[in-house]
């Protein structure tokens, strides 16, 4: 008998980039309190310098709280590098200098919080960031198999591959197989910023970290870009990076 498998893919992945441990712990505590008060699940990682964060970033965070003054760099420059890597993560700058707020919008920052961070102010801005993230990312995908159906979240899918008439969903939670059409999926997932790089792959643009002449790096894996698809793929990627819907 067929059955439904509900996968828990609702955890929001958060990075705190802050060299002051007291400030970092304050944010961590506020995130935990918000989660308990609103029945939300968060996966949170703390980084105390720019280099460690950049080496860990593979499109694997949804929201980043970024200190502007870091021991090995400027938070603005770090976010510029993220954007150059294709990172469309939601960034909230945390700073004791309000004059940086305007510059933050130059790197498409979502918002900023002035130190010392107050719980109410944090909660209001964090809620807005979560709502923005879910509007953009949460497109449900139902995957059919012999055992039944399972619901995936588009934001957790790195790319989809078709192999011998089988669809393979490569996600942050493992690989899942089903039957279906890649062409139909391309239309369905267009609002979630997916684009085809060749007839075998449909790529989630939020996980693209590098593009070469005829290949693209997606979540640490290198996929081929066909000559026929390259122009349309690059148009889609450029529109995504520029913030076009």
């Amino acid at each position: 008998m067929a059955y439904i498998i509900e996968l828990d893919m609702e955890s929001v992945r958060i990075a705190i980039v802050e060299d002051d441990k007291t400030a970092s712990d304050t944010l961590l505590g506020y995130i935990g309190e918000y989660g308990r008060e609103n029945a939300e699940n968060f996966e949170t990682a703390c980084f105390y310098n720019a280099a460690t964060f950049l080496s860990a970033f593979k499109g694997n965070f949804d929201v980043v709280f970024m200190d502007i003054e870091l021991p090995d760099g400027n938070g603005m420059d770090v976010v510029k590098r993220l954007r150059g890597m294709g990172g469309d993560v939601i960034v909230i700058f945390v700073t004791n200098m309000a004059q940086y707020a305007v510059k933050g919008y130059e790197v498409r920052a979502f918002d900023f919080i002035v130190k010392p961070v107050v719980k109410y102010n944090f909660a209001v801005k964090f809620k807005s960031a979560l709502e923005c993230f879910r509007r953009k990312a949460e497109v449900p995908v139902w995957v059919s198999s012999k055992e039944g159906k399972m619901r995936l979240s588009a934001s957790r899918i790195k790319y989809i591959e078709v192999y011998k008439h089988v669809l393979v969903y490569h996600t942050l939670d493992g690989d899942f197989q089903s039957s279906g059409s890649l062409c139909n999926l391309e239309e369905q997932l267009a609002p979630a910023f997916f684009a085809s790089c060749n007839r075998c792959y449909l790529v989630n643009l939020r996980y693209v970290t590098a593009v070469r002449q005829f290949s693209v790096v997606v979540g640490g894996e290198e996929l081929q870009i066909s000559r026929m698809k390259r122009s349309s793929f690059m148009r889609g990627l450029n529109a995504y990076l520029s913030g076009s819907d």
Side-chain angles (χ1 to χ4, degrees):
M1 183 175 69
Y3 58 94
I4 305 297
I5 303 173
E6 292 286 349
L7 297 181
D8 181 12
M9 297 190 176
E10 301 303 320
S11 293
V12 179
R13 301 154 301 162
I14 301 168
I16 299 172
V17 188
E18 168 64 72
D19 65 311
D20 183 331
K21 191 174 187 307
T22 299
S24 178
D25 288 346
T26 297
L27 288 171
L28 196 61
Y30 286 163
I31 291 168
E33 289 179 38
Y34 187 97
R36 289 189 293 274
E37 292 170 1
N38 296 276
E40 296 265 20
N41 295 317
F42 303 118
E43 300 173 18
T44 308
C46 296
F47 302 91
Y48 299 101
N49 58 64
T52 305
F53 170 67
L54 286 169
S55 67
F57 184 82
K58 300 289 187 297
N60 48 336
F61 295 108
D62 304 310
V63 179
V64 175
F65 289 93
M66 175 69 68
D67 185 18
I68 289 182
E69 296 180 287
L70 294 167
D72 59 341
N74 180 289
M76 294 284 179
D77 295 332
V78 174
V79 177
K80 284 180 184 177
R81 288 188 61 182
L82 289 189
R83 300 307 187 212
M85 294 160 59
D88 193 45
V89 61
I90 291 173
V91 175
I92 299 176
F93 281 115
V94 183
T95 178
N96 52 19
M97 293 178 289
Q99 64 266 30
Y100 275 109
V102 174
K103 282 189 168 292
Y105 297 115
E106 295 176 5
V107 293
R108 292 186 286 129
F110 180 79
D111 210 333
F112 77 102
I113 302 175
V114 176
K115 295 179 181 178
V117 180
V118 178
K119 181 182 176 181
Y120 175 78
N121 192 30
F122 166 87
V124 169
K125 299 194 175 192
F126 189 39
K127 180 181 178 182
S128 295
L130 294 175
E131 289 173 348
C132 176
F133 164 69
R134 285 172 176 140
R135 280 196 304 270
K136 292 175 65 175
E138 295 307 318
V139 176
V141 180
W142 284 95
V143 177
S144 300
S145 66
K146 293 178 181 178
E147 291 78 21
K149 293 185 178 182
M150 63 183 74
R151 182 175 63 87
L152 307 180
S153 173
S155 64
R156 306 286 285 182
I157 301 171
K158 295 182 290 185
Y159 68 96
I160 305 166
E161 175 184 10
V162 62
Y163 179 73
K164 293 184 177 179
H165 307 293
V166 174
L167 292 174
V168 182
Y169 295 78
H170 298 272
T171 81
L172 296 175
D173 307 278
D175 295 345
F176 303 93
Q177 294 186 4
S178 77
S179 57
S181 164
L182 204 61
C183 290
N184 291 341
L185 279 175
E186 186 170 4
E187 182 177 349
Q188 178 188 346
L189 291 173
F193 306 104
F194 279 69
S196 174
C197 63
N198 65 43
R199 64 182 183 178
C200 299
Y201 298 116
L202 185 60
V203 170
N204 188 339
L205 297 174
R206 73 193 302 258
Y207 292 104
V208 172
T209 55
V211 178
R212 303 187 176 103
Q213 185 175 10
F214 289 108
S215 67
V216 55
V217 179
V218 184
E221 299 182 57
E222 189 166 3
L223 309 178
Q224 182 182 7
I225 301 176
S226 69
R227 292 179 182 274
M228 185 177 297
K229 291 281 188 178
R230 192 176 196 282
S231 293
S232 61
F233 180 79
M234 291 307 298
R235 280 197 303 272
L237 180 61
N238 289 334
Y240 169 75
L241 294 176
S242 68
S244 301
D245 292 331

